[in-house]
Amino acid sequence: MTASLIDGKAFAADIRAKVAEHVVRLKEKHGIVPGLAVVLVGEDPASAVYVRNKGKQTVEVGMKSVEHMLAEDASEADLLALIETLNVDPEIHGILVQLPLPDHIDSDKVINAIDPAKDVDGFHISNVGLLGTGQKSMVPCTPLGCLMMLRDHFGDLSGLNAVVVGRSNIVGKPMAQLLLGESCTVTMTHSRTKNIQDVCCQADIIVAAVGRAEMVTADWIKPGAVVIDVGINRIAPEEGATKGRLVGDVDFKSVSEIAGAITPVPGGVGPMTIACLLANTITACARANGLSEPEGLTV
Ligand code: NDP
């Protein structure tokens, strides 16, 4: 392996430590306890694990964690009523509705019912618009984590060629906006992109957010490029193994022989996402109380 490893696990631990320091300061100087509410509808096992992890880490940094578990058949009206209650609750500074929601609920309607100031996922249409126009917003957690790691690696990203693979609203599009905000030359690619390999070969930075196991291989990479792997894919157990393993959208083994730096899966972007959720909750809390925003926890 020639690439240096970008250790998201260690980076995330550092962010959580900074968040915890801010929580102490908020409590001691201002008597404020930042609060995060997470709402889960249904019993999807993967979502339940995410929600449990979020709650655990929220408590570990000293914040108040509130979890609302609604039944799979909860109505849209019930969910909207809960959000309205959380919107006006002064002890709640961040609200996250775990996606995906059951089919009978309109996700856009629910997300846009969250007070944008408490929208710590950064998915509300107001925050999307603010980010797109380069204004202060709540920044979606996964792209925020990716940008923090890229800034740490490069310092100045200005003028670099960045290719984002995947154009989802939660990762690809906000990632491209953030990179544009750093004055990168940004190319977005997706399932209809022609000659995607050639496009990627021009990149100083590749962010892969596709959901296809090990799709990006060494022959897509310019020597020395920095590769951020957002993908989380569980592959079938190999011969002799009982459990499948998690892999990214990047073929780590081959790409790490040519890239300059790379995030692993697991231990790269994943831990950063929850750390950035906690960071966003602190930012939201500071803004709600007219306090200066904590440094190093947002962009
Ligand atoms: P989506 O399914 O919403 O979007 C996938 C994107 O990839 C689409 O834009 C799609 O293009 C594009 N795509 C699909 N196939 C190809 C292909 N062959 N070539 C090029 N582009 C392709 O996924 P998400 O953005 O939500 O998630 C992407 C991955 O990141 C998943 O593995 C997910 O689990 C992971 N993830 C990880 C997080 C973390 O914390 N680490 C957080 C969020 C997601 P088109 O639009 O044309 O269909």
Side-chain angles (χ1 to χ4, degrees):
M1 167 162 170
T2 55
S4 61
L5 200 68
I6 302 178
D7 186 348
K9 206 170 161 190
F11 206 126
D14 196 43
I15 292 174
R16 287 198 303 275
K18 278 191 195 143
V19 167
E21 277 170 32
H22 283 291
V23 172
V24 169
R25 208 165 307 147
L26 282 166
K27 279 183 192 169
E28 288 180 352
K29 278 183 80 176
H30 305 284
I32 300 166
V33 180
L36 172 65
V38 178
V39 181
L40 174 66
V41 183
E43 277 147 27
D44 175 57
S47 295
V49 170
Y50 288 137
V51 167
R52 254 202 317 278
N53 277 341
K54 285 167 186 168
K56 187 167 162 271
Q57 293 193 27
T58 305
V59 172
E60 278 168 5
V61 295
M63 297 202 268
K64 173 176 164 160
S65 166
V66 179
E67 287 168 27
H68 290 272
M69 309 296 194
L70 273 59
E72 179 79 28
D73 60 356
S75 69
E76 186 177 284
D78 284 347
L79 181 53
L80 291 171
L82 171 61
I83 288 172
E84 199 38 52
T85 311
L86 296 170
N87 278 345
V88 295
D89 184 339
E91 292 189 3
I92 295 298
H93 304 95
I95 303 170
L96 179 148
V97 177
Q98 184 68 42
L99 300 176
L101 289 168
D103 289 345
H104 66 277
I105 296 178
D106 180 343
S107 301
D108 286 337
K109 196 168 170 187
V110 169
I111 289 165
N112 291 325
I114 299 172
D115 177 349
K118 297 189 178 188
D119 168 38
V120 281
D121 249 345
F123 297 160
H124 189 289
I125 195 73
S126 300
N127 283 315
V128 175
L130 289 168
L131 180 65
T133 50
Q135 301 179 68
K136 192 170 280 195
S137 65
M138 294 306 304
V139 180
C141 305
T142 301
L144 176 59
C146 295
L147 182 62
M148 284 181 177
M149 291 191 285
L150 286 168
R151 273 188 177 174
D152 184 64
H153 181 85
F154 284 106
D156 182 11
L157 303 184
S158 169
L160 295 174
N161 280 338
V163 173
V164 180
V165 190
R167 56 174 163 180
S168 70
N169 289 340
I170 64 170
V171 189
K173 283 180 195 156
M175 187 73 244
Q177 297 287 5
L178 287 173
L179 291 165
L180 206 52
E182 300 292 306
S183 299
C184 290
T185 302
V186 182
T187 307
M188 293 205 68
T189 63
H190 45 77
S191 67
R192 309 289 176 90
T193 300
K194 291 189 177 129
N195 306 322
I196 192 167
Q197 179 180 345
D198 295 342
V199 175
C200 287
C201 279
Q202 305 300 313
D204 303 306
I205 296 169
I206 294 188
V207 181
V210 184
R212 288 182 182 263
E214 299 175 327
M215 184 183 86
V216 177
T217 46
D219 49 358
W220 291 41
I221 308 295
K222 180 166 95 171
V226 173
V227 180
I228 305 290
D229 189 356
V230 179
I232 303 175
N233 311 285
R234 187 168 284 283
I235 56 169
E238 280 149 19
E239 222 181 295
T242 49
K243 272 171 88 177
R245 56 189 178 94
L246 287 184
V247 298
D249 291 339
V250 175
D251 175 27
F252 184 86
K253 197 160 179 280
S254 71
V255 170
S256 60
E257 294 298 333
I258 185 166
I262 185 168
T263 58
V265 176
V269 175
M272 288 296 285
T273 296
I274 300 189
C276 287
L277 171 68
L278 304 176
N280 275 351
T281 305
I282 287 287
T283 301
C285 179
R287 287 178 187 168
N289 288 283
L291 302 170
S292 57
E293 285 180 28
E295 270 176 43
L297 293 182
T298 190
V299 287

